[in-house]
Amino acid sequence: MASSYSHLNGTDQPKGSITVPPGRAIGGQPIGILVMDAWYPMMPGNVANASTYDFPVMYKVLKGIPAGRVMSGDPELTEIIVAGGKELIEQGARAIVGACGSFANYQQVAAAELDVPVFLSVMLQAPWILQALRPDQKLGIIAASAAALTPHTYKQCGITEPDRLVIAEVINLPEFQVLAQAKGEFDSAKLESETVGLVGDFAARHDDLGALLLQCSDLPPYAWAIQKVAGLPVFDMNNLINWVYQAVVRKPYHGVL
């Protein structure tokens, strides 16, 4: 019995011999997450905080890769990202995801090189969301930096209507600048307050918004507060990761007829 897609239901042990590929030393972590080498507290809700999820996840920290090189799409990082994905797959990952929206720059090459489904960026959701909105509505992108959203990013994620994206960036918020310095600390309550203020002003200026997408994986901890001020659907990377998990770990339904 191969273990790659097994799911034990109830207390009965599976019958027959169970096999795993050579080199696999752990189990039960079907979602593999690539993470940049960042030094600041990862709050619950951040993609890099494992307690964000109701299921086990597995991380690969890409040592020595700062946010700036990922945001610029540095091609020298391609091999490191693909190698990190392969390491996660070797240890049982059924899907590979990324803990930064700017991993979008490597989406197509990673999907071509890796043997499991790859969802490196939250921006992969943008085409789906746009299809769900009225043609006269736009999708608000709350990004770390607007400079990270380039034609290359859009091509990698299948975004064919960039004119329907309206972007706000948090890079100039005082507490986000503290976080971006990566010195091991920041004030999360202050960052939430600053982000909510920015989004409130952004939504007030754009009455044609149909939804928001949090491009930066440091922002989902504040998604509830953002939705409260914006009054809109708020999508983030955690939506995508939960969706992927439910696809690669199917469980039997229980209910009443």
Side-chain angles (χ1 to χ4, degrees):
M1 173 184 175
S3 67
S4 61
Y5 265 82
S6 59
H7 178 266
L8 301 182
N9 183 41
T11 58
D12 290 341
Q13 292 297 313
K15 293 179 173 60
S17 179
I18 302 171
T19 64
V20 295
R24 183 170 301 175
I26 58 177
Q29 298 168 307
I31 300 296
I33 305 179
L34 295 171
V35 183
M36 289 186 300
D37 193 5
W39 181 36
Y40 50 83
M42 301 298 169
M43 304 302 293
N46 193 304
V47 176
N49 183 316
S51 69
T52 297
Y53 308 103
D54 295 329
F55 46 83
V57 297
M58 177 170 40
Y59 291 102
K60 171 61 180 178
V61 179
L62 303 176
K63 290 292 186 180
I65 296 186
R69 292 183 70 190
V70 176
M71 288 172 64
S72 67
D74 185 344
E76 292 184 3
L77 303 183
T78 301
E79 281 191 26
I80 299 173
I81 291 168
V82 170
K86 289 181 177 179
E87 184 176 322
L88 290 166
I89 294 168
E90 181 183 43
Q91 296 306 323
R94 303 179 186 180
I96 302 299
V97 303
C100 174
S102 291
F103 277 125
N105 290 309
Y106 308 93
Q107 170 62 35
Q108 292 183 4
V109 66
E113 291 289 334
L114 299 177
D115 292 331
V116 300
V118 175
F119 303 87
L120 286 190
S121 175
V122 66
M123 294 301 293
L124 289 167
Q125 295 181 91
W128 313 344
I129 300 168
L130 288 171
Q131 289 298 312
L133 303 181
R134 295 197 318 263
D136 62 326
Q137 289 183 311
K138 294 185 177 180
L139 174 61
I141 308 294
I142 313 301
S145 171
L149 298 171
T150 67
H152 177 68
T153 304
Y154 300 147
K155 182 179 178 181
Q156 290 285 306
C157 295
I159 298 170
T160 59
E161 298 179 280
D163 57 315
R164 293 184 64 196
L165 304 181
V166 185
I167 302 167
E169 58 181 6
V170 298
I171 190 66
N172 294 319
L173 296 178
E175 202 58 28
F176 193 86
Q177 292 187 353
V178 173
L179 179 150
Q181 292 172 10
K183 294 183 177 180
E185 63 180 10
F186 77 99
D187 186 327
S188 184
K190 186 176 180 182
L191 179 56
E192 178 181 74
S193 177
E194 292 174 354
T195 303
V196 166
L198 179 146
V199 172
D201 291 342
F202 176 69
R205 293 196 312 273
H206 299 281
D207 59 4
D208 56 352
L209 294 177
L212 297 177
L213 179 63
L214 307 184
Q215 181 266 353
C216 176
S217 291
D218 293 314
L219 297 181
Y222 318 117
W224 177 86
I226 288 170
Q227 183 169 67
K228 187 176 180 181
V229 70
L232 293 167
V234 176
F235 296 87
D236 60 26
M237 191 62 183
N238 296 329
N239 300 128
L240 182 56
I241 292 173
N242 277 279
W243 177 78
V244 172
Y245 174 79
Q246 290 179 359
V248 299
V249 182
R250 300 298 312 200
K251 299 177 182 180
Y253 289 100
H254 300 277
V256 179
L257 292 175

